[in-house]
């Protein structure tokens, strides 16, 4: 019977000259590698647990030459103290590095978020335009007083009721003087502001953003339309008149017609919206 030559004899080397090592069990090298990897893994876990158990105040990791604070090392996140109502920090008033922290006051934040234009609370002594108006009135306190309203950039022209509308006109006789004189009273919608009454018992109110003379119907809308608050102007002795129900819109003359326009950061707008309340012409 012929001999099976598909498998070389165990006592003879392979054709490439290598013979299997029968002196040790197969897979011993892999077992050693697996054991070494397991030992290294256990050592790393023990080291990590030991570091985590160390007190936080003993952490000496430095950042920019200083020791990290408790807030910075706890959980690996940087936390910031919540500002208190008076604008100071709740963590002993100190920030990073032991320095006192500075935060903006609530009043400054409210001023920055206000939709109204801001400016100096007192008008300049000169007639040069400056910042936008503030909210403090620089005119006499509202009272039942006869006044005429004169333009700053057209000092020979006054508010004048003509055909039910209010225009900026020059004085043209006694009738024109009477139609250019108004009784300034406390605001119908806000007693700290102004309303302007005419000699025939009507009030000046804006409708479709145009100032006109109309008789009061007693409604809340009419009272708001007829109430204007004085704001300081960039011109000495002058005021800007802001609508109560449309904050940010001021009375100004345009083509010599008095209208309610949104505030604009321009010299022309500041001049057109600046008026002086002078003694009545009548």
């Amino acid at each position: 019977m012929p001999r099976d030559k598909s498998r070389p004899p165990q006592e003879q080397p392979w054709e490439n000259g290598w013979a299997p090592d029968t002196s040790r069990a197969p897979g011993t090298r892999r077992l050693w590698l697996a054991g070494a990897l397991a030992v290294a893994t256990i050592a790393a876990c023990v080291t990590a647990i030991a570091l985590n158990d160390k007190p936080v105040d003993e952490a000496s990791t430095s950042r920019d030459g200083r020791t990290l604070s408790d807030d910075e090392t706890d959980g690996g996140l940087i936390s910031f103290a919540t500002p208190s109502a008076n604008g100071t920090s709740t963590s002993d008033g100190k920030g990073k590095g032991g320095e006192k922290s500075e935060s903006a006051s609530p009043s400054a934040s409210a001023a920055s978020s206000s939709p109204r234009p801001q400016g100096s609370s007192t008008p300049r002594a000169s007639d040069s335009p400056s910042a936008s108006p503030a909210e403090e009135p620089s005119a006499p306190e509202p009272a039942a007083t006869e006044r005429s309203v004169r333009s700053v950039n057209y000092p020979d022209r006054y508010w004048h009721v003509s055909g039910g509308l209010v225009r900026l006109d020059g004085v043209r006789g006694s009738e024109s003087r009477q139609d250019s004189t108004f009784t300034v009273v406390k605001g119908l919608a806000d007693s700290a502001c102004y309303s302007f009454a005419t000699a025939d018992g009507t009030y000046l109110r804006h409708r479709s953003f145009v100032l006109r003379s109309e008789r009061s119907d007693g409604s809340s809308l009419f009272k708001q339309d007829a109430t204007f608050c004085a704001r300081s102007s960039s011109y000495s002795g002058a005021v800007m008149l802001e609508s109560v129900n449309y904050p940010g819109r001021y009375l100004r003359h345009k083509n010599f017609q008095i209208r309610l326009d949104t505030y604009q950061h321009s010299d022309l707008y500041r001049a057109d919206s600046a008026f002086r309340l002078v003694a009545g012409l009548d």
Side-chain angles (χ1 to χ4, degrees):
M1 182 174 181
R3 186 179 180 179
D4 186 6
K5 296 184 179 181
S6 61
R7 182 178 179 184
Q10 296 295 325
E11 66 277 4
Q12 295 180 1
W14 300 90
E15 294 180 358
N16 57 5
W18 175 87
D21 186 4
T22 59
S23 63
R24 61 182 180 85
T28 306
R29 184 177 303 168
R30 295 181 181 178
L31 291 176
W32 278 105
L33 291 176
L37 180 59
V39 171
T41 302
I42 294 173
C45 293
V46 171
T47 303
I49 293 174
L51 291 177
N52 288 336
D53 289 341
K54 186 178 293 184
V56 176
D57 55 0
E58 294 181 1
S60 58
T61 305
S62 298
R63 182 181 296 170
D64 300 333
R66 62 180 179 84
T67 302
L68 295 180
S69 64
D70 292 347
D71 289 339
E72 292 173 318
T73 56
D74 187 14
L77 298 176
I78 300 177
S79 61
F80 298 91
T82 303
S84 60
N86 57 2
T88 60
S89 175
T90 58
S91 59
D92 299 335
K94 293 185 178 181
K96 292 190 294 184
E99 298 178 355
K100 291 184 178 179
S101 61
E102 297 179 359
S103 60
S105 62
S107 59
S109 301
S112 64
S113 63
S114 174
R116 298 183 181 182
Q118 300 296 320
S120 173
S121 59
T122 55
R124 290 186 176 182
S126 62
D127 277 0
S128 59
S130 61
S132 53
E135 297 190 1
E136 292 79 2
S138 59
E141 289 297 324
T145 307
E146 286 192 348
R147 290 285 185 267
S148 292
V149 185
R150 184 173 65 190
S151 170
V152 164
N153 51 353
Y154 289 91
D156 59 337
R157 289 177 176 263
Y158 300 80
W159 286 9
H160 175 238
V161 179
S162 177
L165 300 178
V166 182
R167 296 182 50 82
L168 197 64
D169 293 332
V171 180
R172 298 188 302 269
S174 59
E175 183 178 354
S176 176
R177 289 176 179 271
Q178 182 179 7
D179 291 337
S180 297
T181 302
F182 310 97
T183 302
V184 182
V185 299
K186 292 183 178 181
L188 300 180
D190 187 342
S191 61
C193 300
Y194 295 162
S195 289
F196 298 87
T198 64
D200 58 359
T202 63
Y203 287 91
L204 303 186
R205 59 88 59 99
H206 67 81
R207 182 158 57 85
S208 300
F209 301 121
V210 174
L211 191 64
R212 61 190 76 221
S213 171
E214 291 186 0
R215 196 167 300 277
S216 174
D217 58 6
S219 65
S220 175
L221 176 62
F222 184 95
K223 292 177 181 179
Q224 294 182 61
D225 288 350
T227 303
F228 305 93
C229 298
R231 310 302 185 199
S232 61
S233 169
S234 54
Y235 294 88
S236 176
V239 295
M240 298 177 66
L241 296 169
E242 183 181 24
S243 170
V244 163
N245 51 349
Y246 284 91
R249 285 183 175 264
Y250 296 80
L251 293 175
R252 57 90 57 97
H253 67 82
K254 191 173 185 180
N255 296 326
F256 299 120
Q257 185 180 51
I258 308 301
R259 4 180 347 102
L260 196 63
D261 274 356
T262 305
Y263 183 84
Q264 302 170 18
H265 293 276
S266 68
D267 294 342
L268 177 62
Y269 182 94
R270 284 188 282 266
D272 288 350
S273 59
F275 301 97
R276 292 187 173 96
L277 275 63
V278 300
L281 298 177
D282 188 11

